Amino acid sequence: MKQSGKNQKGVSYCRVLGYFAFFLTVFCIILIIIYNADCAVVGRQYSEKIQANLTAITGNIDTQMQIVRNLGSDFFLEPDIIMYLKPEKDETLSVRAEQWRIIRKISREEALVAPLVSSVFVFISHDNHILTGDGHYDVDYFFKDMYRYADYPEQFWMSSFKKGSLRMILPPTVMKTRKNSGAVIPVVTTDRISGNVAIHVCNIAVKTLEDMFVAEPSFNGLRFVVFDSKRNVILDTNHSTGSVYAAVGNSKNIIFRQQSSCLDWTVCAVVSRDAFRQVVTENLILVFQMVFAALLCGVGMTFLFSFRIYKPVQKQYLAQEEKNSRDYIWHSVQLLLHGFQSSDVCHVSGMMQKYYQFSGSFFLCCDILLDYHLQFYQDYEGENLAEKQKELASRLYRAAVKFSSCYILDLQNGLYSCIFNLDAPVDEKTAADFFRAGHIFPENDQKLFSIIIGIGTVCDSLDKIAVSHKHALLAVQHRVTQQDYEVINFRDIPVSDRVLFSFYDQKEILKNIYCGNESVLTDCISRILDINLKRGISEENMQELYRQIMMVGQRCLDEKGYPVDTMKTFQSVRDVILQQEMDNPFDIKKKVLLNFFVEIQSIVYIPQELTEAIRSTAVRAQKYIDMNFNKPLCLEIVAEALQITPKYLSRIFKTAFGENFTGYTSRIRIEKAKILLATTNEHINDIALDVGMESRATFLRVFRKMAGISPSEYRLFAHSSETENTVDE
C-alpha cells in the first residue's frame, strides 16, 4: 500500500509537472509570436514617427528660410532703399541725411527674424562703407573688427558679386564678433540700384537651426544632418560622433531623408540599427514587464506605470504646446494692436479663449504707463530690473483679471496694454471706475513710479482692437495732473483737448527744414496750426502744441550743436509764446513761430549751387503738378510739357525741393483726397479717380503710408470729430 501510494504521488507529480511544462511552452510560444509581431509593429511606428518629425522640421526650416530669402528681395523694392542706398561718391547731403531710413529698415528686419538671423548688413559693391542696424561702418573696420568670417574675407565680399538679381546661400562658416563667435550661414541677395550692385546679407545662426532639431527629440541618439546639392554639410547636430559622410554611408545605420521643398537641401536623420533595435527591444521588454506586472500586481501596477512614464511625457508636451501657443498669441496681438490685419483672427480668438478664458464678443483696450522715478532705477539694475518688471506685469494681470478676462502685453519699458474680453458692450466708465476704486500695486511700489491708466473704447471684434488701443494711448498722453495715480477715460477727453500733431507731421517739418525751401516749411507749420485752431482746441492745449513744434526745431539745433538761446528770434519766442500769461493773439504767435523756424532753416540747411533757370524750371513743374493732379502724371508727361528730359526733371525737382517727383505727386493727391473724404460722401473708388489714381489698391496703399490710417478710418475720424464739435457747440 505504501509503495502504491508513492507511485501514485509520483504519477501525480509528473502529471502536474507536465501540465506546467505544457502551459509554460505554450506561453513561451505565444510570447515569441507576440515579440516578433510587436518588433515589426513598434519598429514601423518608430520609423513613421521619426519620418513625420523630420518632415515637420524640414517644413519649419523651409518656412523660416523662405522668410529670410524674401527679406533681401523685399528690401530692394522699398522706395527708401532705391532712393537713398548709393555709393559714397554719389551721396549728396540730402541723401546722407535720409539714410537713417535704411538703418531703421535693417534694424526692423533683424527684430522680425530674430533669433534665426543674428545680423543683417547691406553695402554697395566696391564701396567703402557698410550699413547695419546700428549705423554706418567702414569696410576694413567692419570685416576685420566687427564681423570676421573664417572663410569669407573682405576681398570675397568686395569682388565676388558682380551681377544683380542674385539669390544664393553660402556654405556655413565661423563668424567672430566682438562679443562671441559661432557658425553662420550667409544668405546673399543682390540687386542693381542706379547702375550699382547692392548686396544684402543675412547671417543665419547655425545654433538656432540646430535648436529646431533638438527642441522636440523623438528618439535618443538621433543625429540630424543637412546637406546641400553639392553634398556640403550645412548642419550637424552631433559634432562628436565621427565623420558625417561615414555615418551616412555606413550600412549599420538607418537613414531617414527628407528633401527641402524650396532649397537644394537634403535633411537626414541618422540612427544606428543597433540603437534602433535596442529601443524597439526595450520597448517590448517594457510591454512584457507590464504583462507580468499585470499578472502579479494587476491594475495597481499598471496605473503606477502609467503615472510614472506617460504623465510626465504628456505634461512636458502640453507645456511646450502651451508655450508655443502663448508666443503665437503674443506676436498676433502685437500685430493687431499696430493695425496689421490678420487672416487668422478667428484662430487667435480661439487660442485666447483656451488659455485666457476669452468667451465674450466685445473687447476693450486699456494702456497702463508706469512712469518710473529715479529711485526705481537706483534700486533695480540689470537682471533685477527685468525681474522686477516681470513681477509688476504679473501683479497687473492679477489685479486686472478681477474686472474681466484679460491679456497683458508689454509694449515697451513701462508701458503695458491690457485687452479685456467682455460679454456685453459695457460703458467704458465702468472700467475707469474699476481702476479708480483701488490701487493696483502696493504702496511701497507706488513710491517708485507714477501710474497713468488710459481707457480706450469698446469694439465688437478683435481685429478692431487697434482703434481702441489708439484711443487708450491718446488718453495716456492727455495727462493733465502730476498725480502718482491717474485714470483717464478717452470718452471724457473734450474734443478741444485732442491735439492733432502726429509723428508724421514732425518728420515732415524736419524734412522741410533740411531741404531748404522756406515757403514749404512755413506752409507745413501753418497748416498744422490752422487745423488745430479750426478744431477749437483750448488755449492751454494750443500752447502745448507750440511747445511741441518748437521742440522739433530745437532738436535740429541740438544735432548741429547750435545753442538755441543765441538765435535772433529766440527772445521773441520767449516773450510771445513761452510766457505764462498767453495773452498774445494767435496770428502774432504764429508769425513768431514761423520766423523762428525760418532762422533754424538758415542755420541748418546748407544750400546747393542752383541757377535761377534751374529753380524756375522746378517751380514750373511743381505748379503743373498742383494744377493737373487729377490727371495721369508721370515724369515723361510733365517733362514733355516743360520741354525737358525726364531724367533732368527728376534731378532738379529733388535738388530744389528735397522730395522726389513721385513723393510730391502722391502727397498732393492724398491731401486732396483727405478733403473729399471729410467733406463729401463720395465712394472711395470715385475719390481715387478724382485725384488721378486709377488703381484702388495703389490709392489705399499710398494713403495708409502717408496718413497712417485707411481712407475709411480717416473719413470716420473726420466725421466723428465734426459731430463732437457740433455737440460741444
Side-chain angles (χ1 to χ4, degrees), residues 653-670:
F653 197 97
K654 175 67 176 178
T655 305
F657 303 117
E659 186 176 19
N660 61 29
F661 177 90
T662 303
Y664 179 83
T665 304
S666 299
R667 182 164 61 83
I668 293 299
R669 285 172 167 171
I670 295 305

Side-chain angles (χ1 to χ4, degrees), residues 305-317:
F305 175 81
S306 300
F307 182 78
R308 289 290 183 89
I309 303 299
Y310 175 71
K311 291 296 183 181
V313 175
Q314 184 187 37
K315 183 178 180 181
Q316 181 181 3
Y317 173 78

Side-chain angles (χ1 to χ4, degrees), residues 383-394:
E383 295 181 357
N384 293 332
L385 176 62
E387 293 178 358
K388 183 62 177 179
Q389 290 176 335
K390 290 182 179 179
E391 178 187 347
L392 294 176
S394 178

Side-chain angles (χ1 to χ4, degrees), residues 20-256:
F20 178 77
F22 173 77
F23 285 111
L24 182 61
T25 303
V26 172
F27 183 70
C28 290
I29 293 174
I30 294 175
L31 288 181
I32 293 173
I33 295 173
I34 294 175
Y35 176 80
N36 291 330
D38 285 352
C39 277
V41 173
V42 175
R44 184 170 61 254
Q45 290 177 348
Y46 269 106
S47 298
E48 292 174 352
K49 184 177 181 181
I50 293 174
Q51 188 64 48
N53 285 351
L54 187 64
T55 302
I57 292 171
T58 305
N60 188 19
I61 292 178
D62 285 344
T63 301
Q64 298 290 337
M65 292 299 294
Q66 190 63 34
I67 293 174
V68 174
R69 294 179 70 182
N70 289 338
L71 280 180
S73 301
D74 296 342
F75 181 84
F76 292 118
L77 296 177
E78 290 286 337
D80 290 341
I81 306 303
I82 297 174
M83 184 180 302
Y84 302 117
L85 182 60
K86 296 180 181 297
E88 189 174 12
K89 61 184 181 61
D90 296 337
E91 288 182 355
T92 63
L93 185 63
S94 59
V95 170
R96 184 168 297 178
E98 295 295 333
Q99 282 190 343
W100 62 269
R101 301 175 184 272
I102 303 177
I103 296 173
R104 182 184 64 179
K105 173 66 176 175
I106 297 174
S107 178
R108 288 179 176 177
E109 285 188 353
E110 291 177 339
L112 178 65
V113 294
L116 178 63
V117 173
S118 60
S119 60
V120 178
F121 62 90
V122 178
F123 64 96
I124 299 292
S125 179
H126 302 290
D127 198 22
N128 195 38
H129 71 281
I130 287 180
L131 296 175
T132 71
D134 297 326
H136 296 253
Y137 295 96
D138 184 75
V139 169
D140 294 336
Y141 172 76
F142 183 82
F143 287 111
K144 291 180 181 179
D145 296 334
M146 291 191 63
Y147 294 98
R148 186 167 51 188
Y149 294 88
D151 300 323
Y152 309 116
E154 177 186 340
Q155 294 79 7
F156 170 83
W157 295 106
M158 292 293 104
S159 61
S160 298
F161 306 101
K162 299 180 180 180
K163 296 181 179 180
S165 301
L166 175 67
R167 295 170 61 180
M168 63 183 300
I169 300 177
L170 300 179
T173 183
V174 176
M175 183 181 73
K176 294 183 179 180
T177 64
R178 289 183 173 182
K179 296 181 180 180
N180 51 35
S181 63
V184 297
I185 302 174
V187 178
V188 181
T189 305
T190 67
D191 204 344
R192 191 168 292 277
I193 298 179
S194 301
N196 301 295
V197 177
I199 297 98
H200 178 279
V201 182
C202 290
N203 290 312
I204 297 178
V206 174
K207 181 63 171 59
T208 304
L209 288 178
E210 291 180 356
D211 292 342
M212 293 183 183
F213 292 97
V214 182
E216 295 183 7
S218 60
F219 195 91
N220 291 330
L222 195 61
R223 179 178 185 177
F224 291 96
V225 183
V226 180
F227 298 97
D228 62 12
S229 58
K230 298 180 181 179
R231 298 289 292 174
N232 295 319
V233 178
I234 301 297
L235 180 146
D236 181 12
T237 59
N238 193 341
H239 306 278
S240 61
T241 58
S243 171
V244 174
Y245 301 101
V248 175
N250 194 339
S251 60
K252 294 182 179 180
N253 293 333
I254 301 176
I255 312 299
F256 299 88

